[in-house]
Amino acid sequence: MSQAGLVVRAWANRGIAQLDQGPLVPFHFPRRLIRPLPGDRIMLDAQDSLIEVLPRKNEFGRGDARGRFRAVAANLDRAVIVIAPEPAPSPDLIHRYLAGAAIHGIEALVVVNKADLALPETGPFADLKDLDALGYRIVHTRCKPAADLAELPDLLGTGASLLTGQSGVGKTSLLNALIPDLDERTGALSQVTGKGTHTTTTATVYPVSENAVIIDTPGVWEYSLWAMPPAELQRGFPEFAPHAARCRFRDCRHDSEPGCAVRVAAENGEIPASRHAAWLRLLAEQRRLQR
Ligand SMILES: Nc1nc2c(ncn2[C@@H]2O[C@H](COP(=O)(O)OP(=O)(O)OP(=O)(O)O)[C@@H](O)[C@H]2O)c(=O)[nH]1
Ligand SMILES: [Mg+2]
Ligand SMILES: [Zn+2]
């Protein structure tokens, strides 16, 4: 008899699944053949061995050191990109994350955590108003001294939400604020590493309610994209599409080509100049990744 479940965590050749009818169970899988991700729907046999990973609706991931796509989690309804004044994001971190989500058809929202600290007006923080104008949801939160999550609980009230961002921006703090009794609920799962810090080491699914989960992920120092053709990267800048249709060349890179409608739109302010500039930087970055 087989049993259906949700992958809560998977590493090396082992995982933990939440059975639809029953408890959390450990399971094994042959890593050579199959790599389940947190958020995957799976079938286990009566001995809790993995039989099948059901088809994914999407995957969120990042580029590895060799420019290959590495999936982090599956079946997401949204990616929550967490930034903070400290540690400050690099200029393109948010643009890369937004592109990484959009390319895989995953809605993204930006959480600016540590609202108790002054928000710098420079660097990537200056781009937030442009992102807001494009329709991206920007939510300001804090977990200290007293938590203030603004509209975040409502926004994450259904479906699967992935918390992603640099190490130390407060993803796990937000998780704890969103699920106040998390420790009691997940005592067996909680991990503490040395030095009194609680750096997250493995992406893990946490239940919020009957119909909502949050996936906490280990922070990265820098989020990288993977090597991809320019047409794929452009899916990460969906606001370009109506203009790109009017570029003279079908394979226009929206750089210095004659008749580029995207560049004209950026010059006219129809699309934010900051997004066009980010596009050119990510395109240049791609040339390095392709090597
Ligand atoms: N000042 C301030 N500090 C915060 C806030 N939220 C979290 N922190 C602190 O930031 C540090 C890192 O928080 P974590 O929640 O562990 O960060 P994380 O993003 O989960 O980090 P990784 O697991 O390494 O990716 C901790 O010392 C938190 O107490 C906040 O709103 N304001
Ligand atoms: Mg964490
Ligand atoms: Zn163009």
PDB file of all heavy atoms in Angstrom, residues 113-114 116-117 142-144 166-173 198-200 217-219, ligand 1:
ATOM      1  N   ASN A 113      12.943  43.886   5.931  1.00  0.00           N
ATOM      2  CA  ASN A 113      12.870  43.599   7.366  1.00  0.00           C
ATOM      3  C   ASN A 113      13.823  44.535   8.129  1.00  0.00           C
ATOM      4  O   ASN A 113      14.606  45.258   7.536  1.00  0.00           O
ATOM      5  CB  ASN A 113      13.226  42.127   7.614  1.00  0.00           C
ATOM      6  CG  ASN A 113      12.942  41.695   9.040  1.00  0.00           C
ATOM      7  OD1 ASN A 113      11.962  42.124   9.659  1.00  0.00           O
ATOM      8  ND2 ASN A 113      13.804  40.864   9.600  1.00  0.00           N
ATOM      9  N   LYS A 114      13.746  44.468   9.445  1.00  0.00           N
ATOM     10  CA  LYS A 114      14.536  45.320  10.346  1.00  0.00           C
ATOM     11  C   LYS A 114      14.133  46.796  10.180  1.00  0.00           C
ATOM     12  O   LYS A 114      14.987  47.681  10.051  1.00  0.00           O
ATOM     13  CB  LYS A 114      16.046  45.126  10.143  1.00  0.00           C
ATOM     14  CG  LYS A 114      16.467  43.645  10.191  1.00  0.00           C
ATOM     15  CD  LYS A 114      17.935  43.456  10.443  1.00  0.00           C
ATOM     16  CE  LYS A 114      18.311  41.976  10.333  1.00  0.00           C
ATOM     17  NZ  LYS A 114      19.712  41.701  10.611  1.00  0.00           N
ATOM     18  N   ASP A 116      13.213  48.612  12.280  1.00  0.00           N
ATOM     19  CA  ASP A 116      13.688  49.409  13.426  1.00  0.00           C
ATOM     20  C   ASP A 116      15.006  50.098  13.095  1.00  0.00           C
ATOM     21  O   ASP A 116      15.412  51.033  13.786  1.00  0.00           O
ATOM     22  CB  ASP A 116      13.866  48.498  14.661  1.00  0.00           C
ATOM     23  CG  ASP A 116      14.748  47.297  14.374  1.00  0.00           C
ATOM     24  OD1 ASP A 116      14.491  46.594  13.381  1.00  0.00           O
ATOM     25  OD2 ASP A 116      15.707  47.074  15.126  1.00  0.00           O
ATOM     26  N   LEU A 117      15.689  49.649  12.038  1.00  0.00           N
ATOM     27  CA  LEU A 117      16.937  50.295  11.617  1.00  0.00           C
ATOM     28  C   LEU A 117      16.622  51.295  10.505  1.00  0.00           C
ATOM     29  O   LEU A 117      15.668  51.106   9.755  1.00  0.00           O
ATOM     30  CB  LEU A 117      17.945  49.255  11.101  1.00  0.00           C
ATOM     31  CG  LEU A 117      18.263  48.070  12.020  1.00  0.00           C
ATOM     32  CD1 LEU A 117      19.277  47.149  11.351  1.00  0.00           C
ATOM     33  CD2 LEU A 117      18.788  48.562  13.361  1.00  0.00           C
ATOM     34  N   ARG A 142       9.322  44.303  10.940  1.00  0.00           N
ATOM     35  CA  ARG A 142      10.414  44.159  11.900  1.00  0.00           C
ATOM     36  C   ARG A 142      10.073  43.011  12.844  1.00  0.00           C
ATOM     37  O   ARG A 142       8.899  42.712  13.097  1.00  0.00           O
ATOM     38  CB  ARG A 142      10.668  45.461  12.661  1.00  0.00           C
ATOM     39  CG  ARG A 142       9.521  45.915  13.537  1.00  0.00           C
ATOM     40  CD  ARG A 142      10.004  46.885  14.626  1.00  0.00           C
ATOM     41  NE  ARG A 142       8.971  46.977  15.637  1.00  0.00           N
ATOM     42  CZ  ARG A 142       8.167  48.029  15.790  1.00  0.00           C
ATOM     43  NH1 ARG A 142       8.286  49.088  15.010  1.00  0.00           N
ATOM     44  NH2 ARG A 142       7.252  48.018  16.727  1.00  0.00           N
ATOM     45  N   CYS A 143      11.115  42.358  13.341  1.00  0.00           N
ATOM     46  CA  CYS A 143      10.934  41.280  14.322  1.00  0.00           C
ATOM     47  C   CYS A 143      11.379  41.721  15.700  1.00  0.00           C
ATOM     48  O   CYS A 143      11.131  41.038  16.686  1.00  0.00           O
ATOM     49  CB  CYS A 143      11.721  40.044  13.889  1.00  0.00           C
ATOM     50  SG  CYS A 143      11.306  39.488  12.237  1.00  0.00           S
ATOM     51  N   LYS A 144      12.079  42.820  15.771  1.00  0.00           N
ATOM     52  CA  LYS A 144      12.591  43.398  17.012  1.00  0.00           C
ATOM     53  C   LYS A 144      12.308  44.888  17.007  1.00  0.00           C
ATOM     54  O   LYS A 144      12.287  45.470  15.925  1.00  0.00           O
ATOM     55  CB  LYS A 144      14.117  43.224  17.073  1.00  0.00           C
ATOM     56  CG  LYS A 144      14.613  41.871  17.490  1.00  0.00           C
ATOM     57  CD  LYS A 144      16.126  41.939  17.402  1.00  0.00           C
ATOM     58  CE  LYS A 144      16.777  40.791  18.130  1.00  0.00           C
ATOM     59  NZ  LYS A 144      18.245  40.919  18.061  1.00  0.00           N
ATOM     60  N   GLN A 166      19.547  36.970   1.822  1.00  0.00           N
ATOM     61  CA  GLN A 166      20.883  36.814   2.391  1.00  0.00           C
ATOM     62  C   GLN A 166      20.837  36.278   3.817  1.00  0.00           C
ATOM     63  O   GLN A 166      19.848  36.472   4.534  1.00  0.00           O
ATOM     64  CB  GLN A 166      21.583  38.169   2.433  1.00  0.00           C
ATOM     65  CG  GLN A 166      22.268  38.560   1.153  1.00  0.00           C
ATOM     66  CD  GLN A 166      22.847  39.958   1.287  1.00  0.00           C
ATOM     67  OE1 GLN A 166      22.104  40.931   1.293  1.00  0.00           O
ATOM     68  NE2 GLN A 166      24.144  40.051   1.404  1.00  0.00           N
ATOM     69  N   SER A 167      21.918  35.663   4.224  1.00  0.00           N
ATOM     70  CA  SER A 167      22.031  35.183   5.593  1.00  0.00           C
ATOM     71  C   SER A 167      22.001  36.373   6.556  1.00  0.00           C
ATOM     72  O   SER A 167      22.670  37.377   6.326  1.00  0.00           O
ATOM     73  CB  SER A 167      23.350  34.418   5.746  1.00  0.00           C
ATOM     74  OG  SER A 167      23.369  33.772   6.981  1.00  0.00           O
ATOM     75  N   GLY A 168      21.164  36.272   7.572  1.00  0.00           N
ATOM     76  CA  GLY A 168      21.126  37.308   8.601  1.00  0.00           C
ATOM     77  C   GLY A 168      20.103  38.407   8.399  1.00  0.00           C
ATOM     78  O   GLY A 168      20.011  39.318   9.218  1.00  0.00           O
ATOM     79  N   VAL A 169      19.314  38.335   7.313  1.00  0.00           N
ATOM     80  CA  VAL A 169      18.307  39.390   7.106  1.00  0.00           C
ATOM     81  C   VAL A 169      17.072  39.193   7.990  1.00  0.00           C
ATOM     82  O   VAL A 169      16.279  40.112   8.137  1.00  0.00           O
ATOM     83  CB  VAL A 169      17.868  39.496   5.621  1.00  0.00           C
ATOM     84  CG1 VAL A 169      19.004  40.013   4.753  1.00  0.00           C
ATOM     85  CG2 VAL A 169      17.332  38.174   5.107  1.00  0.00           C
ATOM     86  N   GLY A 170      16.920  37.967   8.539  1.00  0.00           N
ATOM     87  CA  GLY A 170      15.811  37.742   9.472  1.00  0.00           C
ATOM     88  C   GLY A 170      14.709  36.822   8.957  1.00  0.00           C
ATOM     89  O   GLY A 170      13.574  36.905   9.427  1.00  0.00           O
ATOM     90  N   LYS A 171      15.045  35.922   8.036  1.00  0.00           N
ATOM     91  CA  LYS A 171      14.025  35.010   7.494  1.00  0.00           C
ATOM     92  C   LYS A 171      13.438  34.116   8.583  1.00  0.00           C
ATOM     93  O   LYS A 171      12.226  33.978   8.708  1.00  0.00           O
ATOM     94  CB  LYS A 171      14.638  34.136   6.378  1.00  0.00           C
ATOM     95  CG  LYS A 171      15.123  34.947   5.191  1.00  0.00           C
ATOM     96  CD  LYS A 171      15.762  34.068   4.125  1.00  0.00           C
ATOM     97  CE  LYS A 171      17.029  33.362   4.579  1.00  0.00           C
ATOM     98  NZ  LYS A 171      18.103  34.291   4.975  1.00  0.00           N
ATOM     99  N   THR A 172      14.320  33.493   9.380  1.00  0.00           N
ATOM    100  CA  THR A 172      13.829  32.596  10.421  1.00  0.00           C
ATOM    101  C   THR A 172      13.117  33.389  11.522  1.00  0.00           C
ATOM    102  O   THR A 172      12.138  32.918  12.100  1.00  0.00           O
ATOM    103  CB  THR A 172      14.983  31.750  10.977  1.00  0.00           C
ATOM    104  OG1 THR A 172      15.590  31.044   9.887  1.00  0.00           O
ATOM    105  CG2 THR A 172      14.492  30.743  12.001  1.00  0.00           C
ATOM    106  N   SER A 173      13.589  34.614  11.778  1.00  0.00           N
ATOM    107  CA  SER A 173      12.893  35.467  12.752  1.00  0.00           C
ATOM    108  C   SER A 173      11.477  35.767  12.273  1.00  0.00           C
ATOM    109  O   SER A 173      10.529  35.758  13.067  1.00  0.00           O
ATOM    110  CB  SER A 173      13.661  36.774  12.959  1.00  0.00           C
ATOM    111  OG  SER A 173      14.987  36.516  13.335  1.00  0.00           O
ATOM    112  N   HIS A 198      21.735  30.900  14.930  1.00  0.00           N
ATOM    113  CA  HIS A 198      20.778  29.893  14.489  1.00  0.00           C
ATOM    114  C   HIS A 198      20.711  29.881  12.975  1.00  0.00           C
ATOM    115  O   HIS A 198      19.641  29.930  12.398  1.00  0.00           O
ATOM    116  CB  HIS A 198      19.391  30.188  15.066  1.00  0.00           C
ATOM    117  CG  HIS A 198      19.359  30.134  16.563  1.00  0.00           C
ATOM    118  ND1 HIS A 198      18.578  29.233  17.237  1.00  0.00           N
ATOM    119  CD2 HIS A 198      20.021  30.847  17.485  1.00  0.00           C
ATOM    120  CE1 HIS A 198      18.761  29.425  18.551  1.00  0.00           C
ATOM    121  NE2 HIS A 198      19.633  30.393  18.705  1.00  0.00           N
ATOM    122  N   THR A 199      21.846  29.878  12.332  1.00  0.00           N
ATOM    123  CA  THR A 199      21.845  29.903  10.879  1.00  0.00           C
ATOM    124  C   THR A 199      21.119  28.680  10.333  1.00  0.00           C
ATOM    125  O   THR A 199      21.386  27.554  10.729  1.00  0.00           O
ATOM    126  CB  THR A 199      23.285  29.960  10.344  1.00  0.00           C
ATOM    127  OG1 THR A 199      23.854  31.183  10.775  1.00  0.00           O
ATOM    128  CG2 THR A 199      23.315  29.905   8.843  1.00  0.00           C
ATOM    129  N   THR A 200      20.196  28.933   9.438  1.00  0.00           N
ATOM    130  CA  THR A 200      19.421  27.857   8.828  1.00  0.00           C
ATOM    131  C   THR A 200      20.322  27.083   7.877  1.00  0.00           C
ATOM    132  O   THR A 200      21.047  27.683   7.089  1.00  0.00           O
ATOM    133  CB  THR A 200      18.237  28.475   8.056  1.00  0.00           C
ATOM    134  OG1 THR A 200      17.549  29.363   8.935  1.00  0.00           O
ATOM    135  CG2 THR A 200      17.286  27.418   7.546  1.00  0.00           C
ATOM    136  N   THR A 217      14.581  28.949   4.123  1.00  0.00           N
ATOM    137  CA  THR A 217      15.766  28.458   3.409  1.00  0.00           C
ATOM    138  C   THR A 217      17.029  29.032   4.020  1.00  0.00           C
ATOM    139  O   THR A 217      16.992  30.078   4.664  1.00  0.00           O
ATOM    140  CB  THR A 217      15.726  28.854   1.915  1.00  0.00           C
ATOM    141  OG1 THR A 217      15.801  30.284   1.806  1.00  0.00           O
ATOM    142  CG2 THR A 217      14.475  28.351   1.227  1.00  0.00           C
ATOM    143  N   PRO A 218      18.168  28.333   3.840  1.00  0.00           N
ATOM    144  CA  PRO A 218      19.434  28.888   4.313  1.00  0.00           C
ATOM    145  C   PRO A 218      19.764  30.141   3.514  1.00  0.00           C
ATOM    146  O   PRO A 218      19.537  30.177   2.301  1.00  0.00           O
ATOM    147  CB  PRO A 218      20.454  27.779   4.002  1.00  0.00           C
ATOM    148  CG  PRO A 218      19.691  26.601   3.548  1.00  0.00           C
ATOM    149  CD  PRO A 218      18.330  27.060   3.139  1.00  0.00           C
ATOM    150  N   GLY A 219      20.276  31.153   4.176  1.00  0.00           N
ATOM    151  CA  GLY A 219      20.640  32.373   3.474  1.00  0.00           C
ATOM    152  C   GLY A 219      21.869  32.145   2.614  1.00  0.00           C
ATOM    153  O   GLY A 219      22.679  31.259   2.874  1.00  0.00           O
TER     154      GLY A 219
HETATM  155  N1  LIG B   1      17.363  44.879  14.547  1.00  0.00           N
HETATM  156  C1  LIG B   1      16.702  43.829  14.072  1.00  0.00           C
HETATM  157  N2  LIG B   1      17.286  42.627  14.085  1.00  0.00           N
HETATM  158  C2  LIG B   1      16.592  41.572  13.591  1.00  0.00           C
HETATM  159  C3  LIG B   1      15.288  41.713  13.080  1.00  0.00           C
HETATM  160  N3  LIG B   1      14.871  40.496  12.639  1.00  0.00           N
HETATM  161  C4  LIG B   1      15.886  39.641  12.884  1.00  0.00           C
HETATM  162  N4  LIG B   1      16.926  40.279  13.469  1.00  0.00           N
HETATM  163  C5  LIG B   1      18.208  39.699  13.904  1.00  0.00           C
HETATM  164  O1  LIG B   1      18.970  39.333  12.761  1.00  0.00           O
HETATM  165  C6  LIG B   1      19.774  38.188  13.058  1.00  0.00           C
HETATM  166  C7  LIG B   1      19.578  37.119  12.018  1.00  0.00           C
HETATM  167  O2  LIG B   1      18.252  36.648  12.075  1.00  0.00           O
HETATM  168  P1  LIG B   1      17.792  35.268  11.440  1.00  0.00           P
HETATM  169  O3  LIG B   1      16.312  35.233  11.537  1.00  0.00           O
HETATM  170  O4  LIG B   1      18.539  34.123  11.994  1.00  0.00           O
HETATM  171  O5  LIG B   1      18.260  35.491   9.922  1.00  0.00           O
HETATM  172  P2  LIG B   1      18.129  34.477   8.704  1.00  0.00           P
HETATM  173  O6  LIG B   1      17.770  35.307   7.524  1.00  0.00           O
HETATM  174  O7  LIG B   1      17.217  33.350   9.024  1.00  0.00           O
HETATM  175  O8  LIG B   1      19.632  33.953   8.528  1.00  0.00           O
HETATM  176  P3  LIG B   1      20.130  32.560   7.864  1.00  0.00           P
HETATM  177  O9  LIG B   1      19.365  31.442   8.478  1.00  0.00           O
HETATM  178  O10 LIG B   1      21.589  32.528   8.131  1.00  0.00           O
HETATM  179  O11 LIG B   1      19.842  32.693   6.393  1.00  0.00           O
HETATM  180  C8  LIG B   1      19.369  37.732  14.458  1.00  0.00           C
HETATM  181  O12 LIG B   1      20.320  38.226  15.367  1.00  0.00           O
HETATM  182  C9  LIG B   1      18.029  38.401  14.671  1.00  0.00           C
HETATM  183  O13 LIG B   1      17.746  38.650  16.020  1.00  0.00           O
HETATM  184  C10 LIG B   1      14.675  43.013  13.092  1.00  0.00           C
HETATM  185  O14 LIG B   1      13.545  43.238  12.651  1.00  0.00           O
HETATM  186  N5  LIG B   1      15.446  44.028  13.592  1.00  0.00           N
END
